[in-house]
Coordinates of all heavy atoms in Angstrom, one line a residue:
M1 N 0.9 -1.2 0.0 CA -0.1 0.0 0.0 C 0.9 1.2 0.0 O 1.8 1.4 0.8 CB -1.0 -0.1 1.2 CG -1.8 1.1 1.3 SD -3.0 0.8 2.7 CE -3.9 2.2 2.5
K2 N 0.6 2.2 -0.9 CA 1.4 3.3 -1.1 C 1.0 4.5 0.0 O -0.2 4.4 0.4 CB 1.1 4.0 -2.4 CG 1.6 3.3 -3.6 CD 1.4 4.1 -4.8 CE 1.9 3.4 -6.1 NZ 1.6 4.2 -7.3
K3 N 1.9 5.1 0.4 CA 1.7 6.3 1.4 C 1.0 7.4 0.5 O 1.1 7.4 -0.7 CB 3.0 6.8 2.0 CG 3.5 5.8 3.0 CD 4.7 6.5 3.6 CE 5.3 5.5 4.6 NZ 6.5 6.1 5.3
K4 N 0.3 8.2 1.2 CA -0.5 9.3 0.6 C 0.2 10.8 0.7 O 0.8 11.0 1.7 CB -1.9 9.5 1.0 CG -2.7 8.3 0.7 CD -4.1 8.5 1.2 CE -5.0 7.3 0.8 NZ -6.4 7.5 1.1
I5 N 0.2 11.5 -0.4 CA 0.7 12.9 -0.3 C -0.5 13.6 -0.8 O -1.1 13.4 -1.9 CB 1.9 13.1 -1.2 CG1 3.1 12.4 -0.6 CG2 2.2 14.6 -1.3 CD1 4.3 12.5 -1.4
I6 N -0.9 14.8 -0.1 CA -1.9 15.7 -0.5 C -1.3 17.2 -0.6 O -0.7 17.6 0.4 CB -3.1 15.7 0.5 CG1 -3.7 14.3 0.5 CG2 -4.1 16.7 0.1 CD1 -4.7 14.1 1.7
F7 N -1.5 17.7 -1.8 CA -1.2 19.1 -2.0 C -2.5 19.9 -2.0 O -3.5 19.5 -2.5 CB -0.5 19.3 -3.3 CG 0.8 18.7 -3.6 CD1 0.9 17.4 -4.1 CD2 2.0 19.4 -3.2 CE1 2.1 16.8 -4.3 CE2 3.2 18.8 -3.3 CZ 3.3 17.6 -3.9
S8 N -2.5 21.1 -1.4 CA -3.7 21.9 -1.5 C -3.3 23.3 -2.0 O -2.3 23.9 -1.5 CB -4.4 22.0 -0.2 OG -3.6 22.7 0.8
S9 N -3.9 23.8 -2.9 CA -3.7 25.1 -3.6 C -4.9 25.5 -4.3 O -5.5 24.7 -5.1 CB -2.5 25.0 -4.6 OG -2.3 26.2 -5.3
Y10 N -5.4 26.7 -4.1 CA -6.5 27.1 -4.9 C -6.2 27.1 -6.4 O -7.1 26.8 -7.2 CB -6.9 28.6 -4.4 CG -8.1 29.2 -5.2 CD1 -9.4 28.7 -4.9 CD2 -8.0 30.0 -6.3 CE1 -10.4 29.1 -5.6 CE2 -9.1 30.4 -6.9 CZ -10.3 30.0 -6.6 OH -11.4 30.3 -7.3
D11 N -5.0 27.4 -6.7 CA -4.6 27.4 -8.1 C -4.8 26.1 -8.8 O -4.4 25.1 -8.2 CB -3.2 28.0 -8.2 CG -2.9 28.5 -9.6 OD1 -3.7 28.5 -10.5 OD2 -1.6 28.8 -9.8
D12 N -5.2 26.0 -10.0 CA -5.4 24.8 -10.8 C -4.8 25.1 -12.2 O -5.0 26.2 -12.7 CB -6.8 24.4 -10.8 CG -7.0 23.1 -11.5 OD1 -6.8 22.9 -12.7 OD2 -7.5 22.1 -10.9
R13 N -4.1 24.1 -12.9 CA -3.6 24.4 -14.1 C -4.5 24.9 -15.2 O -4.2 25.7 -16.0 CB -3.0 23.1 -14.7 CG -1.8 22.6 -13.9 CD -1.2 21.3 -14.6 NE -2.1 20.5 -15.2 CZ -2.0 19.8 -16.3 NH1 -0.7 19.8 -16.8 NH2 -3.0 19.0 -16.8
D14 N -5.8 24.5 -15.1 CA -6.8 24.9 -16.0 C -7.7 26.0 -15.5 O -8.7 26.3 -16.3 CB -7.6 23.6 -16.4 CG -6.8 22.6 -17.1 OD1 -5.8 22.9 -17.8 OD2 -7.0 21.3 -16.9
N15 N -7.5 26.5 -14.4 CA -8.3 27.6 -13.9 C -8.2 28.9 -14.8 O -7.1 29.4 -14.9 CB -8.0 27.9 -12.4 CG -9.0 28.8 -11.8 OD1 -9.5 29.7 -12.4 ND2 -9.1 28.7 -10.5
P16 N -9.3 29.3 -15.4 CA -9.2 30.5 -16.2 C -8.9 31.8 -15.5 O -8.4 32.8 -16.1 CB -10.6 30.6 -16.9 CG -11.5 29.9 -15.9 CD -10.7 28.9 -15.3
Y17 N -9.1 31.8 -14.1 CA -8.8 33.0 -13.4 C -7.3 33.1 -12.9 O -6.8 34.1 -12.7 CB -9.7 33.1 -12.1 CG -11.2 33.2 -12.4 CD1 -12.0 32.1 -12.0 CD2 -11.8 34.1 -13.2 CE1 -13.4 32.1 -12.2 CE2 -13.2 34.1 -13.5 CZ -13.9 33.1 -13.0 OH -15.2 33.1 -13.2
Y18 N -6.7 31.9 -12.7 CA -5.4 31.9 -12.2 C -4.6 31.1 -13.1 O -3.9 31.5 -14.1 CB -5.4 31.4 -10.7 CG -6.1 32.3 -9.8 CD1 -7.4 32.0 -9.4 CD2 -5.4 33.4 -9.3 CE1 -8.0 32.9 -8.5 CE2 -6.0 34.3 -8.5 CZ -7.3 34.0 -8.1 OH -7.9 34.9 -7.2
G19 N -4.5 29.7 -12.8 CA -3.7 28.8 -13.7 C -2.3 29.2 -13.9 O -1.7 29.1 -14.9
G20 N -1.6 29.6 -12.8 CA -0.3 30.1 -12.9 C 0.8 29.1 -12.5 O 0.7 27.9 -12.6
G21 N 2.0 29.7 -12.2 CA 3.2 28.9 -11.9 C 3.0 27.9 -10.8 O 3.7 26.9 -10.8
G22 N 2.3 28.4 -9.8 CA 2.1 27.5 -8.6 C 1.5 26.2 -9.0 O 1.9 25.1 -8.6
A23 N 0.4 26.2 -9.8 CA -0.3 25.1 -10.2 C 0.6 24.2 -11.0 O 0.6 23.0 -11.0 CB -1.6 25.5 -11.0
A24 N 1.4 24.8 -11.9 CA 2.3 24.1 -12.8 C 3.4 23.4 -12.0 O 3.8 22.3 -12.2 CB 2.9 25.0 -13.8
A25 N 4.0 24.1 -10.9 CA 4.9 23.5 -10.1 C 4.5 22.3 -9.3 O 5.1 21.2 -9.2 CB 5.5 24.5 -9.2
I26 N 3.2 22.4 -8.8 CA 2.6 21.3 -8.0 C 2.4 20.2 -9.0 O 2.7 19.0 -8.6 CB 1.3 21.7 -7.4 CG1 1.6 22.7 -6.2 CG2 0.5 20.5 -6.9 CD1 0.4 23.3 -5.6
Y27 N 2.0 20.4 -10.2 CA 1.7 19.3 -11.1 C 3.1 18.6 -11.5 O 3.2 17.3 -11.4 CB 1.2 19.8 -12.4 CG 1.2 18.8 -13.6 CD1 0.3 17.7 -13.6 CD2 2.1 19.0 -14.6 CE1 0.4 16.9 -14.6 CE2 2.2 18.1 -15.6 CZ 1.3 17.0 -15.7 OH 1.4 16.2 -16.7
E28 N 4.2 19.3 -11.6 CA 5.4 18.7 -12.0 C 6.0 17.9 -10.9 O 6.5 16.8 -11.1 CB 6.4 19.8 -12.5 CG 6.2 20.5 -13.7 CD 6.2 19.5 -14.9 OE1 7.0 18.6 -14.9 OE2 5.4 19.7 -15.9
V29 N 5.8 18.4 -9.7 CA 6.3 17.6 -8.5 C 5.5 16.4 -8.3 O 6.0 15.3 -8.1 CB 6.4 18.5 -7.2 CG1 6.6 17.7 -6.0 CG2 7.4 19.6 -7.3
A30 N 4.2 16.6 -8.4 CA 3.2 15.5 -8.2 C 3.5 14.3 -9.1 O 3.4 13.2 -8.8 CB 1.8 15.9 -8.2
K31 N 3.6 14.7 -10.4 CA 3.7 13.6 -11.4 C 5.1 12.8 -11.2 O 5.2 11.7 -11.6 CB 3.6 14.2 -12.8 CG 4.8 14.9 -13.4 CD 4.5 15.2 -14.9 CE 5.7 15.9 -15.5 NZ 5.5 16.2 -16.9
R32 N 6.1 13.4 -10.5 CA 7.3 12.6 -10.3 C 7.1 11.8 -9.1 O 7.9 10.9 -8.8 CB 8.4 13.7 -10.1 CG 8.9 14.3 -11.3 CD 9.8 15.4 -11.0 NE 10.4 16.0 -12.3 CZ 9.8 16.8 -13.2 NH1 8.5 17.1 -13.0 NH2 10.4 17.2 -14.3
L33 N 6.0 11.9 -8.3 CA 5.9 11.1 -7.0 C 4.8 10.0 -7.2 O 4.8 9.1 -6.3 CB 5.4 12.1 -5.9 CG 6.3 13.2 -5.5 CD1 5.6 14.2 -4.5 CD2 7.5 12.6 -4.8
V34 N 4.0 10.0 -8.3 CA 3.0 9.0 -8.4 C 3.5 7.5 -8.5 O 2.6 6.7 -8.1 CB 2.1 9.3 -9.6 CG1 1.3 10.6 -9.4 CG2 2.8 9.3 -10.9
D35 N 4.7 7.4 -8.8 CA 5.2 5.9 -8.8 C 5.3 5.3 -7.5 O 5.2 4.2 -7.2 CB 6.5 5.8 -9.6 CG 6.3 6.0 -11.1 OD1 5.2 5.8 -11.6 OD2 7.3 6.3 -11.7
E36 N 5.6 6.2 -6.5 CA 5.8 5.7 -5.2 C 4.7 6.1 -4.1 O 4.6 5.6 -3.0 CB 7.2 6.3 -4.6 CG 8.4 5.7 -5.4 CD 9.7 6.2 -4.8 OE1 9.8 6.3 -3.7 OE2 10.5 6.6 -5.7
Y37 N 3.9 7.1 -4.5 CA 2.9 7.6 -3.6 C 1.5 7.8 -4.3 O 1.5 8.0 -5.5 CB 3.2 9.0 -3.0 CG 4.6 9.0 -2.3 CD1 5.8 9.2 -2.9 CD2 4.6 8.8 -0.9 CE1 6.9 9.3 -2.2 CE2 5.8 8.8 -0.2 CZ 6.9 9.0 -0.9 OH 8.2 9.0 -0.2
D38 N 0.4 7.7 -3.5 CA -0.9 8.1 -4.0 C -0.9 9.6 -3.8 O -0.9 10.2 -2.7 CB -2.0 7.4 -3.2 CG -2.2 6.0 -3.5 OD1 -2.0 5.6 -4.7 OD2 -2.6 5.2 -2.6
V39 N -1.0 10.3 -4.9 CA -1.0 11.8 -4.9 C -2.3 12.4 -5.2 O -2.9 12.1 -6.2 CB 0.1 12.3 -5.8 CG1 0.2 13.8 -5.7 CG2 1.5 11.7 -5.6
T40 N -2.7 13.2 -4.3 CA -4.0 13.9 -4.5 C -3.7 15.5 -4.4 O -2.9 15.9 -3.6 CB -5.1 13.6 -3.4 OG1 -5.3 12.3 -3.4 CG2 -6.3 14.4 -3.5
V41 N -4.3 16.2 -5.4 CA -4.2 17.7 -5.4 C -5.5 18.2 -5.2 O -6.5 18.0 -6.0 CB -3.6 18.2 -6.7 CG1 -3.5 19.7 -6.7 CG2 -2.2 17.6 -6.9
I42 N -5.7 19.0 -4.1 CA -7.0 19.7 -3.9 C -6.9 21.1 -4.4 O -6.0 21.9 -3.9 CB -7.4 19.5 -2.3 CG1 -7.4 18.1 -1.8 CG2 -8.6 20.4 -2.0 CD1 -7.6 18.0 -0.3
T43 N -7.8 21.5 -5.2 CA -7.8 22.9 -5.8 C -9.2 23.4 -5.6 O -10.2 22.8 -5.3 CB -7.4 22.9 -7.2 OG1 -8.5 22.3 -8.1 CG2 -6.1 22.1 -7.5
G44 N -9.2 24.8 -5.9 CA -10.5 25.4 -5.9 C -11.3 25.0 -7.2 O -10.7 24.6 -8.2
N45 N -12.6 25.1 -7.1 CA -13.4 24.8 -8.3 C -13.5 26.0 -9.1 O -13.2 27.2 -8.7 CB -14.8 24.4 -7.8 CG -15.6 23.6 -8.7 OD1 -15.1 23.3 -9.9 ND2 -16.9 23.4 -8.4
Y46 N -13.9 25.8 -10.4 CA -14.0 26.9 -11.3 C -15.0 26.5 -12.4 O -15.3 25.4 -12.5 CB -12.6 27.4 -11.9 CG -11.9 26.2 -12.5 CD1 -12.1 25.9 -13.9 CD2 -11.0 25.4 -11.8 CE1 -11.4 24.8 -14.5 CE2 -10.3 24.3 -12.5 CZ -10.6 24.0 -13.7 OH -10.0 22.9 -14.3
P47 N -15.5 27.4 -13.1 CA -16.5 27.1 -14.2 C -16.0 26.0 -15.1 O -14.9 26.1 -15.6 CB -16.8 28.4 -14.9 CG -16.3 29.5 -14.0 CD -15.2 28.9 -13.2
H48 N -16.9 25.1 -15.3 CA -16.8 23.9 -16.2 C -15.7 22.9 -15.7 O -15.2 22.1 -16.5 CB -16.4 24.3 -17.6 CG -17.4 25.4 -18.1 ND1 -18.6 25.1 -18.4 CD2 -17.2 26.7 -18.4 CE1 -19.2 26.2 -18.8 NE2 -18.4 27.2 -18.8
A49 N -15.2 22.9 -14.5 CA -14.3 22.0 -14.0 C -15.0 20.7 -13.6 O -16.1 20.7 -13.2 CB -13.6 22.6 -12.8
K50 N -14.3 19.6 -13.7 CA -14.7 18.4 -13.2 C -14.4 18.3 -11.7 O -13.3 18.6 -11.3 CB -14.1 17.2 -13.9 CG -14.5 17.2 -15.4 CD -13.7 16.0 -16.1 CE -14.1 16.0 -17.6 NZ -13.4 15.0 -18.3
K51 N -15.3 17.8 -10.9 CA -15.1 17.8 -9.4 C -14.0 16.9 -9.1 O -13.1 17.2 -8.1 CB -16.4 17.3 -8.6 CG -17.4 18.4 -8.5 CD -17.0 19.4 -7.5 CE -18.1 20.3 -7.1 NZ -17.7 21.3 -6.3
E52 N -13.8 15.8 -9.7 CA -12.7 14.8 -9.5 C -12.2 14.4 -10.9 O -13.0 14.2 -11.8 CB -13.1 13.7 -8.7 CG -13.5 14.0 -7.3 CD -13.6 12.8 -6.4 OE1 -12.9 11.7 -6.8 OE2 -14.2 12.8 -5.4
Q53 N -10.9 14.3 -11.0 CA -10.3 14.0 -12.3 C -8.9 13.4 -12.1 O -8.1 13.9 -11.2 CB -10.2 15.3 -13.1 CG -9.8 15.2 -14.5 CD -9.7 16.5 -15.2 OE1 -9.8 17.6 -14.6 NE2 -9.6 16.4 -16.6
L54 N -8.6 12.3 -12.8 CA -7.3 11.7 -12.8 C -6.5 12.3 -13.9 O -6.8 12.0 -15.1 CB -7.4 10.2 -12.8 CG -6.2 9.4 -12.5 CD1 -5.7 9.6 -11.1 CD2 -6.4 7.9 -12.8
I55 N -5.3 12.9 -13.7 CA -4.5 13.4 -14.6 C -3.0 12.9 -14.4 O -2.5 13.1 -13.3 CB -4.4 15.0 -14.6 CG1 -5.9 15.5 -14.8 CG2 -3.5 15.5 -15.7 CD1 -6.0 17.0 -14.6
D56 N -2.6 12.1 -15.4 CA -1.2 11.5 -15.2 C -0.9 10.8 -13.9 O 0.0 11.0 -13.3 CB -0.2 12.6 -15.4 CG -0.2 13.2 -16.9 OD1 -0.6 12.5 -17.8 OD2 0.2 14.3 -17.1
G57 N -2.0 10.1 -13.4 CA -1.9 9.4 -12.2 C -2.1 10.2 -11.0 O -2.0 9.7 -9.9
I58 N -2.3 11.5 -11.1 CA -2.6 12.4 -10.0 C -4.1 12.6 -9.8 O -4.8 13.0 -10.8 CB -1.9 13.8 -10.2 CG1 -0.5 13.6 -10.6 CG2 -2.1 14.7 -9.0 CD1 0.1 14.8 -11.2
Q59 N -4.6 12.3 -8.7 CA -6.1 12.5 -8.4 C -6.3 14.0 -8.0 O -5.8 14.5 -7.1 CB -6.5 11.7 -7.2 CG -8.0 11.8 -7.0 CD -8.9 11.3 -8.1 OE1 -8.6 10.2 -8.7 NE2 -9.8 12.0 -8.5
Y60 N -7.0 14.7 -8.9 CA -7.3 16.1 -8.6 C -8.8 16.2 -8.1 O -9.7 15.5 -8.6 CB -7.3 17.0 -9.9 CG -6.0 17.5 -10.3 CD1 -5.1 16.6 -11.0 CD2 -5.6 18.7 -10.0 CE1 -3.8 17.1 -11.2 CE2 -4.3 19.1 -10.2 CZ -3.5 18.3 -10.9 OH -2.2 18.9 -11.2
K61 N -9.0 16.9 -7.0 CA -10.3 17.1 -6.4 C -10.5 18.6 -6.2 O -9.6 19.3 -5.7 CB -10.3 16.5 -4.9 CG -10.3 14.9 -5.0 CD -10.6 14.3 -3.7 CE -10.5 12.8 -3.8 NZ -10.8 12.2 -2.5
R62 N -11.6 19.1 -6.7 CA -11.9 20.4 -6.7 C -13.0 20.7 -5.7 O -14.0 20.0 -5.8 CB -12.2 21.0 -8.1 CG -11.0 20.9 -9.0 CD -11.3 21.0 -10.5 NE -10.1 20.9 -11.2 CZ -9.6 19.7 -11.8 NH1 -10.4 18.7 -11.7 NH2 -8.5 19.7 -12.5
I63 N -12.8 21.7 -4.8 CA -13.8 22.0 -3.8 C -14.4 23.4 -3.9 O -13.6 24.3 -4.4 CB -13.2 21.7 -2.4 CG1 -12.1 22.6 -2.0 CG2 -12.9 20.2 -2.2 CD1 -11.5 22.5 -0.6
G64 N -15.5 23.6 -3.4 CA -16.1 24.9 -3.4 C -16.9 25.2 -4.6 O -16.9 24.4 -5.5
P65 N -17.7 26.2 -4.6 CA -18.5 26.5 -5.8 C -17.6 27.1 -6.9 O -16.5 27.9 -6.6 CB -19.5 27.6 -5.3 CG -18.8 28.3 -4.1 CD -17.8 27.2 -3.5
G66 N -17.9 27.0 -8.1 CA -17.1 27.5 -9.2 C -17.8 28.8 -9.8 O -17.3 29.3 -10.8
S67 N -18.9 29.2 -9.1 CA -19.6 30.2 -9.8 C -19.6 31.5 -9.0 O -20.3 32.5 -9.3 CB -21.1 29.8 -9.8 OG -21.6 29.4 -8.6
L68 N -18.8 31.6 -7.9 CA -18.8 32.9 -7.2 C -17.8 33.9 -7.6 O -17.6 35.0 -7.0 CB -18.6 32.6 -5.7 CG -19.6 31.8 -5.0 CD1 -19.2 31.5 -3.5 CD2 -21.0 32.5 -5.0
G69 N -17.0 33.6 -8.6 CA -15.9 34.5 -9.0 C -14.6 34.2 -8.2 O -14.7 33.4 -7.2
P70 N -13.6 34.6 -8.7 CA -12.3 34.2 -8.2 C -12.0 34.6 -6.7 O -11.5 33.8 -5.9 CB -11.2 34.8 -9.1 CG -11.9 35.9 -9.8 CD -13.4 35.5 -9.8
R71 N -12.4 35.8 -6.3 CA -12.1 36.2 -4.9 C -12.9 35.4 -3.9 O -12.4 35.0 -2.9 CB -12.3 37.7 -4.8 CG -11.2 38.4 -5.6 CD -11.4 39.9 -5.3 NE -10.3 40.6 -6.1 CZ -10.4 41.9 -6.5 NH1 -11.5 42.5 -6.3 NH2 -9.4 42.4 -7.2
R72 N -14.3 35.5 -4.1 CA -15.1 34.8 -3.1 C -14.9 33.3 -3.1 O -14.9 32.6 -2.1 CB -16.6 35.0 -3.5 CG -17.0 36.4 -3.1 CD -18.5 36.6 -3.3 NE -18.8 38.0 -3.4 CZ -19.8 38.5 -4.3 NH1 -20.5 37.7 -5.1 NH2 -20.0 39.8 -4.3
S73 N -14.7 32.7 -4.3 CA -14.3 31.3 -4.3 C -13.1 30.9 -3.6 O -13.0 29.9 -3.0 CB -14.3 30.8 -5.8 OG -15.5 30.9 -6.4
Q74 N -12.0 31.8 -3.7 CA -10.7 31.5 -3.0 C -10.9 31.6 -1.5 O -10.4 30.7 -0.8 CB -9.7 32.5 -3.5 CG -8.3 32.2 -3.0 CD -7.3 33.1 -3.6 OE1 -7.6 34.1 -4.2 NE2 -6.1 32.7 -3.5
L75 N -11.7 32.6 -1.0 CA -12.0 32.6 0.5 C -12.7 31.4 0.9 O -12.3 30.8 1.9 CB -12.7 33.9 0.8 CG -12.1 35.2 0.7 CD1 -13.0 36.4 0.8 CD2 -10.9 35.2 1.7
L76 N -13.8 30.9 0.1 CA -14.5 29.8 0.5 C -13.7 28.4 0.5 O -13.8 27.6 1.3 CB -15.8 29.6 -0.3 CG -16.8 28.7 0.1 CD1 -17.2 28.9 1.5 CD2 -18.0 28.7 -0.8
F77 N -12.8 28.5 -0.5 CA -11.8 27.2 -0.6 C -11.1 27.0 0.7 O -11.0 25.9 1.2 CB -10.9 27.5 -1.8 CG -9.7 26.6 -1.9 CD1 -9.9 25.3 -2.3 CD2 -8.5 26.9 -1.4 CE1 -8.8 24.5 -2.4 CE2 -7.3 26.1 -1.4 CZ -7.6 24.8 -1.8
H78 N -10.5 28.1 1.2 CA -9.8 28.0 2.5 C -10.7 27.5 3.7 O -10.2 26.9 4.6 CB -9.0 29.3 2.7 CG -8.0 29.6 1.8 ND1 -6.8 28.9 1.8 CD2 -7.9 30.4 0.7 CE1 -6.0 29.3 0.8 NE2 -6.7 30.2 0.2
L79 N -11.9 28.0 3.6 CA -12.8 27.5 4.7 C -13.2 26.0 4.6 O -13.5 25.4 5.6 CB -14.0 28.4 4.7 CG -13.8 29.8 5.1 CD1 -15.1 30.6 4.9 CD2 -13.3 30.0 6.5
L80 N -13.2 25.5 3.4 CA -13.6 24.1 3.1 C -12.5 23.1 3.1 O -12.8 22.0 3.1 CB -14.4 24.1 1.7 CG -15.7 24.9 1.6 CD1 -16.1 24.8 0.2 CD2 -16.7 24.3 2.5
L81 N -11.3 23.6 3.2 CA -10.2 22.6 3.2 C -10.4 21.6 4.3 O -10.8 22.0 5.5 CB -8.8 23.2 3.4 CG -8.2 23.8 2.2 CD1 -6.9 24.6 2.5 CD2 -7.9 22.8 1.2
P82 N -10.2 20.3 4.1 CA -10.4 19.3 5.2 C -9.4 19.5 6.3 O -8.3 20.0 6.1 CB -10.1 18.0 4.5 CG -9.9 18.3 3.1 CD -9.8 19.8 2.8

Protein backbone atom coordinates (compact mmCIF):
# COMPACT_ATOMS: atom_id res chain seq x y z
CA MET A 1 0.00 0.00 0.00
CA LYS A 2 1.37 3.38 -1.04
CA LYS A 3 1.65 6.29 1.35
CA LYS A 4 -0.45 9.34 0.52
CA ILE A 5 0.61 12.87 -0.30
CA ILE A 6 -1.91 15.68 -0.52
CA PHE A 7 -1.21 19.10 -2.00
CA SER A 8 -3.70 21.92 -1.49
CA SER A 9 -3.69 25.06 -3.58
CA TYR A 10 -6.53 27.17 -4.85
CA ASP A 11 -4.66 27.46 -8.14
CA ASP A 12 -5.33 24.83 -10.81
CA ARG A 13 -3.56 24.42 -14.16
CA ASP A 14 -6.82 24.86 -16.06
CA ASN A 15 -8.37 27.60 -13.90
CA PRO A 16 -9.23 30.51 -16.23
CA TYR A 17 -8.81 33.04 -13.38
CA TYR A 18 -5.38 31.87 -12.21
CA GLY A 19 -3.71 28.79 -13.76
CA GLY A 20 -0.29 30.10 -12.90
CA GLY A 21 3.16 28.92 -11.94
CA GLY A 22 2.13 27.49 -8.58
CA ALA A 23 -0.28 25.06 -10.22
CA ALA A 24 2.34 24.08 -12.79
CA ALA A 25 4.96 23.50 -10.08
CA ILE A 26 2.62 21.31 -8.03
CA TYR A 27 1.76 19.27 -11.13
CA GLU A 28 5.45 18.74 -12.01
CA VAL A 29 6.33 17.62 -8.48
CA ALA A 30 3.22 15.45 -8.16
CA LYS A 31 3.77 13.60 -11.43
CA ARG A 32 7.26 12.64 -10.25
CA LEU A 33 5.83 11.15 -7.04
CA VAL A 34 2.99 9.00 -8.40
CA ASP A 35 5.13 5.91 -8.85
CA GLU A 36 5.81 5.73 -5.12
CA TYR A 37 2.84 7.60 -3.58
CA ASP A 38 -0.89 8.08 -3.97
CA VAL A 39 -0.95 11.77 -4.85
CA THR A 40 -4.00 13.99 -4.48
CA VAL A 41 -4.17 17.68 -5.37
CA ILE A 42 -7.01 19.66 -3.84
CA THR A 43 -7.78 22.84 -5.75
CA GLY A 44 -10.53 25.41 -5.92
CA ASN A 45 -13.43 24.81 -8.24
CA TYR A 46 -13.99 26.95 -11.31
CA PRO A 47 -16.52 27.11 -14.16
CA HIS A 48 -16.72 23.90 -16.23
CA ALA A 49 -14.27 22.01 -13.97
CA LYS A 50 -14.77 18.35 -13.18
CA LYS A 51 -15.12 17.79 -9.43
CA GLU A 52 -12.71 14.85 -9.55
CA GLN A 53 -10.28 14.01 -12.30
CA LEU A 54 -7.31 11.71 -12.76
CA ILE A 55 -4.48 13.43 -14.65
CA ASP A 56 -1.24 11.52 -15.25
CA GLY A 57 -1.86 9.37 -12.18
CA ILE A 58 -2.59 12.40 -9.98
CA GLN A 59 -6.04 12.56 -8.39
CA TYR A 60 -7.40 16.12 -8.62
CA LYS A 61 -10.28 17.10 -6.33
CA ARG A 62 -11.88 20.50 -6.68
CA ILE A 63 -13.80 21.97 -3.77
CA GLY A 64 -16.12 24.91 -3.36
CA PRO A 65 -18.47 26.56 -5.80
CA GLY A 66 -17.15 27.53 -9.18
CA SER A 67 -19.65 30.27 -9.74
CA LEU A 68 -18.81 32.92 -7.12
CA GLY A 69 -15.92 34.47 -9.01
CA PRO A 70 -12.26 34.19 -8.15
CA ARG A 71 -12.10 36.21 -4.92
CA ARG A 72 -15.12 34.78 -3.12
CA SER A 73 -14.35 31.28 -4.34
CA GLN A 74 -10.80 31.54 -3.03
CA LEU A 75 -11.98 32.59 0.42
CA LEU A 76 -14.50 29.77 0.55
CA PHE A 77 -11.85 27.27 -0.63
CA HIS A 78 -9.77 27.98 2.47
CA LEU A 79 -12.78 27.52 4.74
CA LEU A 80 -13.65 24.16 3.11
CA LEU A 81 -10.20 22.58 3.25
CA PRO A 82 -10.39 19.32 5.18
